[in-house]
């Protein structure tokens, strides 16, 4: 048989193509899979919880860092002493840093100077979970974007994917940099990413997140966004609110009253 | 052999490659459950909400002999169930309820700070639990 390799591959490819065409004709499901549109709706699913938070920036004023201190203590967040390797779960950003795409033209100067409380948004469409190669970070059944520290390999793809800078990396062993060890939550080890977990360890016990409890001004409201009768939903209906970078379509679960 | 029969042979080869590939790709799919078929998480969230899982740490979850040999498998399963699935309640054969947490164990065993370490030292095993979890050596439970 005088047939060179190139000729053979050409014809074999044609055969495979013919097979593909025949299969598509025989099994129409293979040619075009029907799209499952149930995942597209953002209407609340009955019986399903979606935890959310509302930050009232009118009440969250001044240099108060009560919630930050409490959260970082309870979750054994290390303090490495310099901003380059800073680990943060909840922190304060300038108004224009928190809402970079919001219009600031002729805005009330008092508002522009506000320090806005920022934390993980626990997005409905989280870009970080899609970037994670090990599924260490994932969307939980209750809307919380969680990190399974056991599985994190420290690749930091999620940090690159997060549009809100909510994730921090442990460049060093965090243990020696924790001022006072708290037994309410484990620490992390060197080489893992960490972030706010909406206090899932407290929710399990039926308690509100540490930041919400520690706020003396009651500036933080926490609740189930899928429950139309929850306090947070009533607050959202009664006030004009904002989300961070809504144009990205991540559908954050953290809302702000300006 | 003429040109046409050559062509047929090649075509057949291509077809067989395609059929093989088809079966190879779909081999593992029969009988496996699609990921979104698990309904438990939503239900788990609803049941987990107030009060949390009951903790009954007065006695050990399973017989001592079994725990001595299999505590690592139990803890591994608990970790997967509680962290990833939200199924936090363990029911032992006697019907007692436990929270699937390392703290359930440490509720009693934490009273002896050396409890884990003595045996691990003897068996020369180095589990990574305490890289993150706080052992009774570091924090009194």
């Amino acid at each position: 048989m005088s047939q060179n390799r190139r000729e053979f591959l050409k014809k074999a490819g044609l055969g495979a193509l013919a097979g593909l065409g025949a299969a598509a004709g025989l099994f129409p499901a293979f040619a075009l899979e029907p799209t499952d549109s149930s995942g597209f709706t953002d209407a609340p699913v009955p019986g399903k919880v979606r935890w959310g938070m509302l930050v009232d920036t009118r009440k969250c004023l001044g240099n108060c860092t009560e919630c930050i201190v409490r959260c970082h203590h309870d979750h054994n967040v290390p303090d490495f002493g310099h901003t380059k390797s800073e680990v943060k779960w909840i922190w304060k950003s300038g108004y224009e840093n928190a809402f970079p795409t919001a219009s600031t033209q002729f805005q009330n100067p008092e508002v522009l100077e506000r320090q806005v409380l920022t934390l993980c948004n626990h997005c409905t469409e989280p870009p970080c979970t899609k970037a994670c190669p090990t599924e260490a970070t994932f969307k939980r059944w209750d809307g919380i974007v969680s990190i399974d520290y056991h599985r994190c390999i420290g690749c930091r793809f999620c940090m690159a994917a997060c549009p809100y800078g909510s994730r921090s990396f442990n460049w060093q062993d965090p243990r020696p940099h924790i001022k006072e060890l708290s037994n309410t939550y484990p620490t992390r080890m060197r080489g893992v990413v960490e972030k706010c977990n909406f206090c899932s360890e407290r929710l399990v016990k039926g308690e509100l997140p540490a930041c919400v409890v520690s706020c003396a001004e009651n500036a933080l409201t926490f609740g189930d966004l899928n429950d139309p009768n929850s306090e947070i939903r009533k607050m959202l209906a009664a006030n004009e609110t904002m989300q961070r970078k809504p144009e990205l379509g991540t559908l954050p679960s953290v809302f702000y009253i300006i | 052999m003429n040109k046409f029969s050559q062509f047929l042979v090649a075509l057949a080869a291509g077809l067989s490659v395609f059929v093989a590939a088809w079966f190879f790709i779909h081999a593992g799919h029969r009988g496996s459950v699609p990921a979104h078929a698990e309904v438990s998480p939503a239900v788990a969230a609803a049941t987990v909400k107030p009060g949390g899982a009951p903790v009954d740490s007065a006695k050990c979850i399973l017989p001592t002999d079994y725990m001595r040999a299999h505590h690592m498998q139990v803890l591994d399963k608990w970790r997967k169930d509680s962290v990833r699935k939200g199924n936090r309640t363990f029911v032992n054969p006697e019907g007692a309820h436990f929270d699937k947490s390392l703290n359930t164990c440490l509720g009693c065993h934490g009273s002896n700070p050396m409890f884990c370490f003595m045996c691990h030292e003897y068996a020369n095993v180095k589990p990574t639990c305490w890289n993150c979890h706080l052992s009774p050596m570091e924090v009194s439970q």
Side-chain angles (χ1 to χ4, degrees), chain A residues 1-3 8 11-16 18-20 23 27 30 36 47-49 51 76 134-138 140-142 146-151 173 175 181-183 185-189 203-206 224, chain B residues 1 3 6-7 9-15 17-18 22 26 36 41-46 48-53 79 81-88 99 103 128-135 138-141:
Chain A
M1 200 156 79
S2 64
Q3 176 161 239
F8 176 79
K11 287 164 188 168
L14 213 63
L20 204 70
F27 315 103
F30 159 75
D36 179 15
K48 205 175 168 189
V49 180
W51 295 120
N76 287 315
T134 60
E135 286 182 34
T137 190
F138 60 102
R140 274 169 38 134
W141 55 93
D142 54 0
S146 184
I147 306 180
D148 185 349
Y149 299 110
H150 306 106
R151 276 177 89 138
D173 181 14
R175 275 274 173 95
L181 284 172
S182 159
N183 63 0
Y185 198 73
T187 70
R188 266 68 56 198
M189 62 180 289
L203 295 174
V204 156
K205 291 187 263 174
D224 179 8
Chain B
M1 214 186 254
K3 267 249 149 99
Q6 263 183 24
F7 179 76
V9 167
L11 205 74
L15 257 175
V17 166
F18 173 77
W22 175 270
H26 288 260
H36 50 262
V43 181
V48 146
K49 226 182 2 180
R79 172 177 79 184
D81 286 355
S82 59
V83 176
R84 303 197 74 91
K85 295 180 190 162
N87 164 18
R88 292 196 69 96
D99 188 20
N103 294 334
T128 51
C129 314
W130 311 119
N131 285 358
C132 297
H133 291 275
L134 291 156
S135 76
E138 284 139 327
V139 166
S140 59
Q141 297 297 318

Side-chain angles (χ1 to χ4, degrees), chain A residues 45-96:
Chain A
V45 182
K48 205 175 168 189
V49 180
R50 178 186 162 196
W51 295 120
M53 192 184 279
L54 177 62
V55 181
D56 191 343
T57 62
R58 298 170 304 184
K59 291 181 184 170
C60 179
L61 297 169
N63 297 320
C64 172
T65 54
E66 196 58 46
C67 55
I68 302 171
V69 170
R70 174 73 188 277
C71 168
H72 285 191
H73 168 265
D74 278 13
H75 296 105
N76 287 315
V77 176
D79 180 9
F80 293 120
H82 41 98
T83 49
K84 204 180 165 196
S85 56
E86 188 184 11
V87 175
K88 51 196 196 308
W89 283 35
I90 180 167
W91 70 102
K92 280 188 163 182
S93 313
Y95 179 85
E96 286 175 73

